[in-house]
Amino acid sequence: MDIFVLIATMMVCFVIGMPIAYSLAAAAIVGGLWIGIPLEALMLKISDGVSKVAMLTIPFFVLAGAIMAEGGMARRLVAFADVLVGFTRLRGGLSIVNVLATTFLSGISGSAVADTSAIGSVMIPQMERSGYPRVFATNLTITASVQALLVPPSHNAVLYSLATGGTIAISSLFMAGVFPGLLLGFSLVILCLIFAYRDGHPQGQSVPAKDAVRITIDAAWGLITLVIILGGILGGVFTAIEAGAVACVWAFFVTMFIYRDYKWRDLPVLLHRTLRTVAMVMTLIACASAVGYIMALTQMPAKMTAFFLSISANKYVILFLINILLLLLGTLVDMAPSILIATPILLPVMRNFGVDPVHFGMIMMLNLGIGLCHPPVGSILFVGCAVGKVTIEQVMRKIWPFYAVMFLVLMCVTYIPEISLWLPRHVLR
């Protein structure tokens, strides 16, 4: 009954349209009062939830990603990807440019929505002018942006680390996301080639050597951000938090003094938007901490473990069921609250079945990322449709091959743990 009161309150608040952070707070208060916990204890848990030094990672990477995504980096990365793909003159080359440019920007922004908006605004019109169907270009942009949820500096990896109580290092999650993200990008490239030869998409065009050198130098300034984030952490020069701070300074320097596409008068608007995003995330984390506290007191994780054990003792069956559960959750609830709510419940279950917490983090983020490409919540889907100027109905009729590719990658990541664990084990020893 204790668990029912907590979950029922949360669901009722969701249904009546209450903001998710307030829904979590209301559920924690009602659940706490039901089991006799004083409100002062809940307030302390809410305060403790955002009193961790690791929290600084979020505003630093959100700001760095926003500066680079809006400061002309997307256009330069598209041009650089075009140079790399142009040498091959592959049929469907421009669709491969889309995926490759998104891969580069994902390693800078850490945000799938930012990638969809930035890359989509450049690539979708360009692909349509070259003869690609607009809906195909939109679907490709939407699904390729899921890479940003996996590769460093993924904001959601930071949230997962916080949801585990800080027991999982952010650097381990950053490294774990590299191969799953690249596998998703590679799989989408294969799909692009299949479509290209089936539907007769145009060949890629080579870029003159003189222009290629200029474009590469221009893009290199932004790509150094990748070196700062990954190289700095791997080389032990600084922590993930310090990497975020350095990335902010570098992004500001490159955008305002090298590229100079962004106006100084627009900076206050960007900072205001970043602060709003950070404030929403912090409020979510604070309220989710209180819900996690009530869940622990009601022994929900132990009861969930017992429930899954009653279904099957086979780890692979349980992993499949967890995948289905997370896919459904991802379509109904946005990614940040899903991570904060589901991690304290499901992680103990996964530990009981011998699943590495870092591996489970990749499974969770990929599942929830697929959910963001599907209605009714799908923020990536909605942004992609807005940028691509197509309806959700048009997109949903043609997106199924892309879903199939993402599901195939999900199964590989789920049942081949080394895809996620090889890099952190061998690099962060």
Side-chain angles (χ1 to χ4, degrees), residues 124-125 134 138 383-391 394:
I124 294 175
R134 178 171 280 267
T138 303
V383 171
C385 289
V387 172
K389 296 182 174 61
V390 294
T391 65
Q394 289 174 309

PDB file of all heavy atoms in Angstrom, residues 124-125 134 138 383-391 394:
ATOM      1  N   ILE A 124      18.792  19.386 -43.483  1.00  0.00           N
ATOM      2  CA  ILE A 124      17.516  18.998 -44.088  1.00  0.00           C
ATOM      3  C   ILE A 124      17.234  19.792 -45.366  1.00  0.00           C
ATOM      4  O   ILE A 124      16.931  19.201 -46.416  1.00  0.00           O
ATOM      5  CB  ILE A 124      16.365  19.105 -43.068  1.00  0.00           C
ATOM      6  CG1 ILE A 124      16.561  18.079 -41.944  1.00  0.00           C
ATOM      7  CG2 ILE A 124      15.012  18.876 -43.757  1.00  0.00           C
ATOM      8  CD1 ILE A 124      15.544  18.185 -40.814  1.00  0.00           C
ATOM      9  N   PRO A 125      17.347  21.137 -45.350  1.00  0.00           N
ATOM     10  CA  PRO A 125      17.144  21.867 -46.615  1.00  0.00           C
ATOM     11  C   PRO A 125      18.174  21.501 -47.684  1.00  0.00           C
ATOM     12  O   PRO A 125      17.849  21.395 -48.862  1.00  0.00           O
ATOM     13  CB  PRO A 125      17.283  23.336 -46.196  1.00  0.00           C
ATOM     14  CG  PRO A 125      17.037  23.356 -44.728  1.00  0.00           C
ATOM     15  CD  PRO A 125      17.561  22.052 -44.219  1.00  0.00           C
ATOM     16  N   ARG A 134      12.283  15.019 -48.096  1.00  0.00           N
ATOM     17  CA  ARG A 134      12.399  15.798 -46.858  1.00  0.00           C
ATOM     18  C   ARG A 134      12.120  14.936 -45.623  1.00  0.00           C
ATOM     19  O   ARG A 134      12.778  15.096 -44.588  1.00  0.00           O
ATOM     20  CB  ARG A 134      11.441  16.995 -46.910  1.00  0.00           C
ATOM     21  CG  ARG A 134      11.443  17.849 -45.647  1.00  0.00           C
ATOM     22  CD  ARG A 134      10.668  19.119 -45.828  1.00  0.00           C
ATOM     23  NE  ARG A 134      11.463  20.121 -46.534  1.00  0.00           N
ATOM     24  CZ  ARG A 134      12.208  21.042 -45.911  1.00  0.00           C
ATOM     25  NH1 ARG A 134      12.271  21.072 -44.590  1.00  0.00           N
ATOM     26  NH2 ARG A 134      12.898  21.927 -46.592  1.00  0.00           N
ATOM     27  N   THR A 138      14.607  14.261 -42.453  1.00  0.00           N
ATOM     28  CA  THR A 138      14.159  14.550 -41.082  1.00  0.00           C
ATOM     29  C   THR A 138      14.318  13.331 -40.195  1.00  0.00           C
ATOM     30  O   THR A 138      14.828  13.425 -39.068  1.00  0.00           O
ATOM     31  CB  THR A 138      12.690  15.013 -41.091  1.00  0.00           C
ATOM     32  OG1 THR A 138      12.555  16.166 -41.934  1.00  0.00           O
ATOM     33  CG2 THR A 138      12.227  15.364 -39.685  1.00  0.00           C
ATOM     34  N   VAL A 383      11.082  18.410 -32.188  1.00  0.00           N
ATOM     35  CA  VAL A 383      12.040  19.408 -32.685  1.00  0.00           C
ATOM     36  C   VAL A 383      12.401  19.106 -34.134  1.00  0.00           C
ATOM     37  O   VAL A 383      12.463  20.008 -34.981  1.00  0.00           O
ATOM     38  CB  VAL A 383      13.305  19.441 -31.795  1.00  0.00           C
ATOM     39  CG1 VAL A 383      14.390  20.302 -32.438  1.00  0.00           C
ATOM     40  CG2 VAL A 383      12.973  19.977 -30.409  1.00  0.00           C
ATOM     41  N   GLY A 384      12.644  17.823 -34.445  1.00  0.00           N
ATOM     42  CA  GLY A 384      12.975  17.445 -35.819  1.00  0.00           C
ATOM     43  C   GLY A 384      11.865  17.791 -36.794  1.00  0.00           C
ATOM     44  O   GLY A 384      12.131  18.290 -37.898  1.00  0.00           O
ATOM     45  N   CYS A 385      10.619  17.531 -36.406  1.00  0.00           N
ATOM     46  CA  CYS A 385       9.486  17.867 -37.285  1.00  0.00           C
ATOM     47  C   CYS A 385       9.374  19.376 -37.478  1.00  0.00           C
ATOM     48  O   CYS A 385       9.064  19.847 -38.580  1.00  0.00           O
ATOM     49  CB  CYS A 385       8.184  17.321 -36.696  1.00  0.00           C
ATOM     50  SG  CYS A 385       8.048  15.525 -36.766  1.00  0.00           S
ATOM     51  N   ALA A 386       9.628  20.142 -36.417  1.00  0.00           N
ATOM     52  CA  ALA A 386       9.553  21.596 -36.533  1.00  0.00           C
ATOM     53  C   ALA A 386      10.647  22.134 -37.450  1.00  0.00           C
ATOM     54  O   ALA A 386      10.396  22.987 -38.316  1.00  0.00           O
ATOM     55  CB  ALA A 386       9.668  22.235 -35.145  1.00  0.00           C
ATOM     56  N   VAL A 387      11.865  21.625 -37.274  1.00  0.00           N
ATOM     57  CA  VAL A 387      12.988  22.074 -38.112  1.00  0.00           C
ATOM     58  C   VAL A 387      12.804  21.620 -39.556  1.00  0.00           C
ATOM     59  O   VAL A 387      13.073  22.368 -40.502  1.00  0.00           O
ATOM     60  CB  VAL A 387      14.335  21.547 -37.542  1.00  0.00           C
ATOM     61  CG1 VAL A 387      15.478  21.848 -38.500  1.00  0.00           C
ATOM     62  CG2 VAL A 387      14.614  22.170 -36.177  1.00  0.00           C
ATOM     63  N   GLY A 388      12.333  20.377 -39.727  1.00  0.00           N
ATOM     64  CA  GLY A 388      12.164  19.829 -41.072  1.00  0.00           C
ATOM     65  C   GLY A 388      10.900  20.274 -41.776  1.00  0.00           C
ATOM     66  O   GLY A 388      10.711  19.958 -42.958  1.00  0.00           O
ATOM     67  N   LYS A 389      10.013  20.959 -41.019  1.00  0.00           N
ATOM     68  CA  LYS A 389       8.739  21.443 -41.588  1.00  0.00           C
ATOM     69  C   LYS A 389       7.926  20.295 -42.184  1.00  0.00           C
ATOM     70  O   LYS A 389       7.421  20.377 -43.311  1.00  0.00           O
ATOM     71  CB  LYS A 389       8.991  22.539 -42.633  1.00  0.00           C
ATOM     72  CG  LYS A 389       9.628  23.793 -42.069  1.00  0.00           C
ATOM     73  CD  LYS A 389       9.810  24.866 -43.146  1.00  0.00           C
ATOM     74  CE  LYS A 389      10.312  26.177 -42.558  1.00  0.00           C
ATOM     75  NZ  LYS A 389      11.607  26.066 -41.901  1.00  0.00           N
ATOM     76  N   VAL A 390       7.817  19.219 -41.413  1.00  0.00           N
ATOM     77  CA  VAL A 390       6.976  18.084 -41.788  1.00  0.00           C
ATOM     78  C   VAL A 390       6.088  17.737 -40.595  1.00  0.00           C
ATOM     79  O   VAL A 390       6.374  18.131 -39.458  1.00  0.00           O
ATOM     80  CB  VAL A 390       7.814  16.846 -42.189  1.00  0.00           C
ATOM     81  CG1 VAL A 390       8.585  17.100 -43.459  1.00  0.00           C
ATOM     82  CG2 VAL A 390       8.767  16.443 -41.064  1.00  0.00           C
ATOM     83  N   THR A 391       5.014  17.004 -40.844  1.00  0.00           N
ATOM     84  CA  THR A 391       4.112  16.640 -39.761  1.00  0.00           C
ATOM     85  C   THR A 391       4.584  15.355 -39.080  1.00  0.00           C
ATOM     86  O   THR A 391       5.337  14.562 -39.665  1.00  0.00           O
ATOM     87  CB  THR A 391       2.686  16.425 -40.283  1.00  0.00           C
ATOM     88  OG1 THR A 391       2.661  15.293 -41.164  1.00  0.00           O
ATOM     89  CG2 THR A 391       2.185  17.661 -41.031  1.00  0.00           C
ATOM     90  N   GLN A 394       3.561  12.299 -41.106  1.00  0.00           N
ATOM     91  CA  GLN A 394       4.451  11.985 -42.230  1.00  0.00           C
ATOM     92  C   GLN A 394       5.700  11.255 -41.757  1.00  0.00           C
ATOM     93  O   GLN A 394       6.152  10.288 -42.378  1.00  0.00           O
ATOM     94  CB  GLN A 394       4.848  13.282 -42.951  1.00  0.00           C
ATOM     95  CG  GLN A 394       3.735  13.931 -43.752  1.00  0.00           C
ATOM     96  CD  GLN A 394       4.172  15.273 -44.308  1.00  0.00           C
ATOM     97  OE1 GLN A 394       4.688  16.135 -43.585  1.00  0.00           O
ATOM     98  NE2 GLN A 394       3.982  15.464 -45.609  1.00  0.00           N
TER      99      GLN A 394
END
